[in-house]
Amino acid sequence: MAGKIEEKLLTFVREKFPDVYVAFLTGSRVDGNANDESDYDIYLLTYTRDYVFSELFLWESKKIQLVHIPVAKVDEILWYDWFARTGIHLGSFAKGLILLDNGYYLKQLISECKKLYNDGPRLCTYNELYLYKVNMLNLISDLSANNRDEEKMILGQELYRTFIQYYLHSNFRWVNNHKHLAREMNLFSPALSNRLLNEMRSFSHSLNPDALLNLIRKELVPMGTLDKGYSRYSGLIELKFNYLVINFLGTHDFFKVHYLIQDAIKTIKEDIIYYFAFRSRPIGDDSSSAETLYLVLQVESENFPNSIITKIKEIFSTQISPVKIHYPVNIDFSLIFGGGGMVVPFFRFFNTISNTFSKDLKNESESIFFALVIIKKIKDVFFEAESKWIDFIGFVERTWISSAYDNKKNHLFDQIVEARKNLYDLFFQQFSRQNEILSEVFHVHSSENEYFFIEEQLKNLEKSLRLNQQVKPHQRWVPGAKQVEPHWVVVKNLLDYSLRILLINESQKSYLIYAIAHLSKIDK
């Protein structure tokens, strides 16, 4: 490695995060836009987190901004970046300067991201551009007619940002909502960028919007009605899997929406072989920590046909209104469950959980009860030796505990330490009050056969996983990590999605595993 600063940063990474899989430097320190106050942006690809998370370190008088990304979610995150046309993570990967690689994994990934980023974003659909233009016309109208200075200032700033987004979308450029938006505009059209900036400065001083409005109106004229070059049917994107993932945005009453989904699916059941809904933080999108609901639908054919997608959109838009529905979400479940051959067995199992418990899934108490049943069944099937179970559940606890206190916002390291301590204190107090009842519920099902068919399917999963020798390299734990076996990552994901299907939230999920880990130690 040529630069001394890169050597120092690698030392920092190895000291603070000895189990990191790969790491690279990116941002302004790489692309030449840095100043003396700029952060050092480092991406860490890791197996010790389930979500994207950022934290700020102050180390040897340097500000180091760390972004932790779970290895198994890299594809989801980069796909969301491409689909949303932001290019934030793709751009960061594309200009990444490798600090630590694992074989050629990071080198190949950066090469792929460079190609994707340089090729530009996907085409913007007619409807997407149309909505941008409608929003702009409304802002122009509001700003023209408004007489209140404070409102004019906000409207002017919003119009400035919305026009840049629209202009970049129209010209097939990457677009995001952060400071890089103006930078991308300046790179693409320096002359227009400078005129906009000058008019915005003038408006900020005088609060007279006429010049700014005239410039934006003039630039909108050549864009016409948006019909040219766009297809009204380009909203459907060819899926590379035989399953469709749908996101129900803005979900608040998860149990109600879950019931509506189950009811709506009855009308398309003949087209679908397996389906299940699950609760999760936004997949791929690290700008929000609000949990949302996803639905997975699988067909028998090799690809998911657009004809069924169209039918689904029509049904859901009427039966699950006014919940906003996002089509499609790209999740490569082969990365999560240890290879393409494992997707169908896992989907079959999740479909069983969904059909078994959905009719009784009415509130959080029932969710937690059923969750204890599933955890117990996974323990019985996958872990004959109690010591292995204790090691596994400890591994899951270390991975999941962070999801209960990190909200995917930026934190200083000492804030994270304090949040972690407070959470453990809270969990300890809660467990002290509940350990007897949790133990009773957890053990009552050890001898019951009420859910024997779930156990049978788990046994089939365990056999398939044992026979599957093609566990992808990035599904394996970091070499040298203590007490962790390669297939544990997949079993953890099995447990994770099972609890999500039961609508367990992140905090409950972390607490349940904490409680089970402590119950197991007590039993031992």
Side-chain angles (χ1 to χ4, degrees):
M1 188 173 293
K4 288 185 178 180
I5 184 61
E6 286 89 345
E7 292 177 359
K8 284 189 174 183
L9 293 174
L10 178 56
T11 299
F12 162 79
V13 168
R14 282 178 165 157
E15 284 180 358
K16 301 294 184 182
F17 307 97
D19 284 341
V20 69
Y21 191 65
V22 293
F24 64 91
L25 178 67
T26 187
S28 59
R29 292 287 181 176
V30 174
D31 63 22
N33 288 305
N35 57 43
D36 291 341
E37 298 299 318
S38 296
D39 299 345
Y40 288 86
D41 297 306
I42 298 178
Y43 273 54
L44 303 177
L45 273 59
T46 174
Y47 285 93
T48 56
R49 303 194 74 87
D50 272 356
Y51 294 98
V52 175
F53 180 71
S54 299
E55 59 179 315
L56 180 65
F57 270 83
L58 300 176
W59 183 75
E60 292 191 359
S61 72
K62 297 176 180 63
K63 289 188 295 182
I64 300 179
Q65 183 71 53
L66 294 173
V67 180
H68 302 260
I69 295 184
V71 177
K73 291 185 181 289
V74 168
D75 273 22
E76 297 168 19
I77 290 162
L78 295 179
W79 183 89
Y80 179 90
D81 209 27
W82 174 84
F83 185 83
R85 310 180 82 255
T86 62
I88 296 172
H89 291 303
L90 271 172
S92 295
F93 274 82
K95 62 186 175 187
L97 180 62
I98 296 174
L99 299 176
L100 176 67
D101 205 348
N102 198 314
Y104 294 101
Y105 172 78
L106 187 54
K107 183 179 179 180
Q108 291 173 351
L109 181 58
I110 287 175
S111 176
E112 291 172 9
C113 288
K114 281 181 181 176
K115 184 179 185 306
L116 279 170
Y117 191 77
N118 292 335
D119 286 346
R122 67 175 176 86
L123 294 180
C124 211
T125 66
Y126 174 91
N127 286 334
E128 287 171 318
L129 283 175
Y130 178 76
L131 290 173
Y132 264 108
K133 191 166 186 179
V134 168
N135 188 25
M136 259 191 310
L137 293 175
N138 287 334
L139 287 169
I140 288 172
S141 175
D142 289 346
L143 184 55
S144 302
N146 202 295
N147 294 317
R148 297 176 64 88
D149 288 351
E150 64 274 21
E151 291 180 8
K152 282 199 290 186
M153 178 63 78
I154 293 172
L155 287 168
Q157 291 172 345
E158 191 173 348
L159 176 61
Y160 172 73
R161 183 178 65 254
T162 304
F163 173 77
I164 292 177
Q165 289 174 330
Y166 174 69
Y167 191 86
L168 292 173
H169 276 308
S170 302
N171 289 281
F172 315 116
R173 306 288 294 190
W174 295 107
V175 181
N176 63 69
N177 294 317
H178 305 292
K179 61 184 179 182
H180 299 296
L181 182 65
R183 186 182 298 175
E184 185 67 31
M185 181 67 183
N186 190 56
L187 286 171
F188 178 64
S189 181
L192 178 56
S193 178
N194 287 332
R195 293 205 306 276
L196 279 168
L197 184 58
N198 289 335
E199 297 300 351
M200 192 63 198
R201 283 172 178 159
S202 176
F203 164 72
S204 299
H205 285 95
S206 67
L207 291 180
N208 183 343
D210 291 347
L212 177 64
L213 290 171
N214 288 338
L215 174 59
I216 290 177
R217 286 192 184 109
K218 180 182 176 182
E219 292 298 327
L220 286 176
V221 171
M223 299 182 185
T225 61
L226 304 177
D227 289 322
K228 187 176 181 181
Y230 296 95
S231 166
R232 290 178 181 272
Y233 303 99
S234 62
L236 297 178
I237 295 175
E238 193 71 26
L239 297 178
K240 62 179 180 179
F241 308 120
N242 71 338
Y243 53 85
L244 171 70
V245 185
I246 304 170
N247 180 202
F248 296 86
L249 297 167
T251 309
H252 298 292
D253 188 338
F254 287 91
F255 295 92
K256 179 181 178 181
V257 175
H258 187 268
Y259 174 80
L260 292 173
I261 289 171
Q262 297 288 334
D263 199 47
I265 285 175
K266 293 175 184 176
T267 59
I268 55 167
K269 212 165 184 180
E270 68 277 4
D271 298 315
I272 306 299
I273 55 171
Y274 300 128
Y275 70 90
F276 57 93
F278 64 89
R279 181 175 185 167
S280 175
R281 285 181 177 173
I283 291 174
D285 177 15
D286 60 335
S287 63
S288 171
S289 60
E291 292 187 37
T292 184
L293 203 63
Y294 290 86
L295 173 66
V296 181
L297 303 162
Q298 188 177 35
V299 295
E300 284 194 82
S301 56
E302 188 174 340
N303 294 309
F304 205 102
N306 281 340
S307 59
I308 300 180
I309 296 177
T310 303
K311 187 191 297 186
I312 290 168
K313 291 182 76 169
E314 291 173 355
I315 292 168
F316 285 166
S317 63
T318 56
Q319 297 193 29
I320 312 185
S321 179
V323 176
K324 185 179 179 183
I325 304 174
H326 183 183
Y327 297 82
V329 178
N330 188 68
I331 307 177
D332 187 347
F333 283 102
S334 69
L335 299 175
I336 299 170
F337 300 125
M342 294 301 299
V343 171
V344 171
F346 273 94
F347 277 19
R348 186 185 301 120
F349 176 68
F350 295 147
N351 183 79
T352 299
I353 293 179
S354 183
N355 288 330
T356 301
F357 297 118
S358 60
K359 62 181 181 296
D360 298 319
L361 210 57
K362 298 171 184 174
N363 55 53
E364 290 185 350
S365 297
E366 289 170 344
S367 288
I368 291 172
F369 177 81
F370 293 138
L372 290 170
V373 172
I374 294 295
I375 294 170
K376 176 62 177 173
K377 294 297 182 186
I378 290 175
K379 173 183 182 291
D380 292 344
V381 171
F382 284 88
F383 300 93
E384 292 183 5
E386 188 71 21
S387 60
K388 288 288 187 183
W389 165 252
I390 292 173
D391 289 343
F392 168 76
I393 210 69
F395 150 64
V396 177
E397 181 192 5
R398 291 191 299 274
T399 306
W400 284 359
I401 195 72
S402 59
S403 67
Y405 66 79
D406 79 47
N407 55 5
K408 292 195 289 184
K409 306 296 182 185
N410 290 324
H411 286 293
L412 291 171
F413 181 68
D414 57 349
Q415 292 174 326
I416 297 171
V417 172
E418 182 68 18
R420 184 184 180 91
K421 178 184 178 300
N422 292 340
L423 186 73
Y424 267 117
D425 289 345
L426 178 65
F427 280 3
F428 176 77
Q429 293 169 15
Q430 193 171 347
F431 180 70
S432 298
R433 297 192 300 269
Q434 299 177 346
N435 61 359
E436 289 186 12
I437 187 66
L438 285 172
S439 179
E440 182 180 341
V441 174
F442 186 61
H443 291 100
V444 127
H445 289 275
S446 59
S447 59
E448 290 189 2
N449 292 319
E450 185 179 355
Y451 302 107
F452 70 93
F453 50 90
I454 288 179
E455 189 164 330
E456 288 302 307
Q457 285 206 19
L458 278 172
K459 287 178 180 177
N460 292 334
L461 269 180
E462 191 274 338
K463 182 179 179 181
S464 298
L465 190 58
R466 191 162 17 93
L467 295 175
N468 178 23
Q469 300 300 315
Q470 302 302 316
V471 177
K472 293 179 180 291
H474 55 264
Q475 279 294 341
R476 296 183 179 275
W477 194 255
V478 179
K482 296 179 181 177
Q483 298 180 324
V484 177
E485 298 181 10
H487 71 283
W488 284 9
V489 177
V490 181
V491 179
K492 173 183 73 70
N493 292 337
L494 163 65
L495 178 58
D496 184 17
Y497 275 84
S498 298
L499 298 186
R500 292 187 194 189
I501 291 166
L502 296 172
L503 305 184
I504 298 292
N505 67 37
E506 292 295 334
S507 183
Q508 290 170 337
K509 187 179 77 172
S510 299
Y511 172 66
L512 275 175
I513 296 305
Y514 171 93
I516 296 300
H518 282 258
L519 282 176
S520 299
K521 292 173 185 175
I522 292 171
D523 292 343
K524 186 179 179 182

